């Protein structure tokens, strides 16, 4: 009986030691986990702060980028407007150079320019033809001008030639000037017409001081329509 009590006591002591050891091991692990949790909380706080700073920096950079884009667009439009104004100024300068210095250009009657632009009404076009003469001791020059819209080779549509005087009853078909003259007007082509080219023919009358002269220019109407009416390009006339 005495041996049983001693064994029981040993078992109890060993059990208590095991329980205590298990408790200490568990507490140690818990302390380690708690420390890791605290480190993770610190990392989370640090990352949150860093993320906030990065977000603010990104927003600042985005705002700067947007501002630079706006400035770039403004400068782009200003540059485009300045280039346009410069081109217009150069055109005027070139034109007046031809007027005051005829030796710089071809002597006699010249078709300085022919331009077409869209009118306010759908299908309406505005035209402007500038005639000039370049010669020393200019005298009054007179003659007639004819503008013709020539059809294409497409046989399935209306390809007949159309005179501008058929479209614009107020068109000026004659000219009379000493330096230059501008002929303006508007027209509307028939809906079923298919125009390929525009022929501008100006003929100066013979006088006692100048010979008769005929000037012909050809413009690419088909290409003009394809590019949205932006630029009416002059075509080279092939020598016969």
């Amino acid at each position: 009986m005495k041996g049983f009590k001693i064994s029981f006591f040993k078992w109890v002591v060993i059990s208590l030691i095991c329980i205590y050891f298990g408790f200490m091991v568990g507490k140690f692990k818990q302390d380690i986990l708690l420390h890791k949790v605290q480190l993770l909380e610190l990392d989370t706080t640090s990352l949150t702060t860093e993320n906030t700073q990065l977000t603010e920096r990104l927003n600042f950079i985005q705002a700067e980028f947007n501002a630079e884009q706006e400035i770039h667009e403004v400068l782009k439009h200003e540059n485009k407007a300045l280039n346009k104004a410069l081109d217009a100024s150069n055109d005027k300068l070139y034109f007046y150079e031809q007027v005051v210095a005829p030796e710089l250009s071809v002597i006699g009657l010249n078709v300085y320019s022919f331009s077409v632009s869209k009118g306010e009404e759908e299908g309406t076009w505005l035209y402007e033809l500038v005639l000039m003469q370049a010669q020393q001791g200019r005298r009054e020059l007179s003659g007639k001008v004819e503008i013709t819209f020539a059809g294409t080779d497409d046989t399935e549509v209306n390809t007949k030639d159309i005179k501008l005087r058929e479209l614009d009853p107020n068109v000026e078909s004659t000219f009379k000037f000493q330096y230059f003259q501008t002929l303006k007007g508007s027209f509307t082509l028939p809906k079923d017409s298919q125009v390929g080219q525009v022929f501008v023919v100006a003929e100066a009358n013979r006088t006692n001081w100048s010979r008769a002269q005929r000037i012909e220019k050809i413009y690419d109407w088909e290409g003009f329509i394809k590019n949205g009416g932006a630029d009416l390009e002059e075509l080279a006339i092939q020598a016969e």
Side-chain angles (χ1 to χ4, degrees):
M1 188 67 180
K2 183 178 180 180
F4 175 76
K5 287 182 178 181
I6 293 173
S7 297
F8 178 75
F9 178 75
K10 289 181 179 180
W11 181 82
V12 171
V13 171
I14 293 172
S15 297
L16 291 174
I17 291 173
C18 290
I19 292 172
Y20 176 76
F21 181 75
F23 172 77
M24 292 304 293
V25 172
K27 189 174 184 306
F28 178 72
K29 289 183 176 181
Q30 184 180 11
D31 291 340
I32 292 176
L33 290 175
L34 181 61
H35 181 66
K36 288 184 177 180
V37 169
Q38 291 174 346
L39 290 176
L40 288 174
E41 288 178 350
L42 290 174
D43 288 344
T44 301
T45 302
S46 176
L47 289 173
T48 301
T49 303
E50 184 179 356
N51 183 65
T52 301
Q53 293 174 347
L54 290 174
T55 301
E56 292 176 352
R57 179 61 180 167
L58 178 62
N59 292 336
F60 178 74
I61 293 174
Q62 186 65 44
E64 283 190 331
F65 176 77
N66 292 337
E68 289 179 357
Q69 283 289 96
E70 291 178 1
I71 293 174
H72 175 72
E73 287 299 321
V74 170
L75 291 177
K76 182 179 178 180
H77 288 302
E78 288 184 355
N79 183 62
K80 186 176 181 180
L82 288 174
N83 283 329
K84 187 175 182 181
L86 179 61
D87 290 341
S89 177
N90 287 334
D91 288 342
K92 287 183 180 179
L93 178 62
Y94 175 75
F95 175 74
Y96 287 115
E97 280 180 345
Q98 309 306 305
V99 173
V100 301
E103 66 276 4
L104 298 177
S105 59
V106 179
I107 300 300
L109 175 65
N110 285 303
V111 175
Y112 175 75
S113 67
F114 177 65
S115 60
V116 179
S117 59
K118 291 182 179 179
E120 294 182 358
E121 298 182 5
E122 183 69 24
T124 300
W125 299 94
L126 307 177
Y127 67 89
E128 180 179 284
L129 173 64
V130 181
L131 302 174
M132 66 179 298
Q133 68 163 319
Q135 59 186 21
Q136 297 288 354
R138 293 182 184 85
R139 295 173 181 265
E140 196 170 70
L141 194 67
S142 63
K144 61 181 180 179
V145 61
E146 184 81 85
I147 299 176
T148 304
F149 297 90
T152 65
D153 296 331
D154 192 345
T155 58
E156 297 181 359
V157 295
N158 181 10
T159 59
K160 70 175 184 178
D161 295 349
I162 305 173
K163 304 292 185 182
L164 179 59
R165 63 174 179 268
E166 300 173 10
L167 307 175
D168 180 12
N170 299 317
V171 64
E172 295 182 65
S173 58
T174 60
F175 59 84
K176 190 175 185 180
F177 61 89
Q178 186 174 358
Y179 293 97
F180 65 90
Q181 183 174 343
T182 301
L183 308 178
K184 296 182 178 181
S186 62
F187 64 90
T188 302
L189 289 169
K191 293 183 178 180
D192 61 343
S193 63
Q194 191 74 22
V195 178
Q197 298 175 339
V198 183
F199 289 81
V200 178
V201 178
E203 295 180 325
N205 298 327
R206 183 180 181 282
T207 65
N208 293 331
W209 53 85
S210 64
R211 61 183 176 82
Q213 191 176 3
R214 183 180 188 275
I215 301 295
E216 181 179 357
K217 299 281 187 177
I218 304 176
Y219 298 89
D220 182 13
W221 183 264
E222 192 171 7
F224 174 68
I225 296 300
K226 286 181 179 179
N227 64 27
D231 183 33
L232 184 58
E233 181 182 357
E234 181 181 348
L235 299 175
I237 299 178
Q238 297 180 353
E240 295 182 0

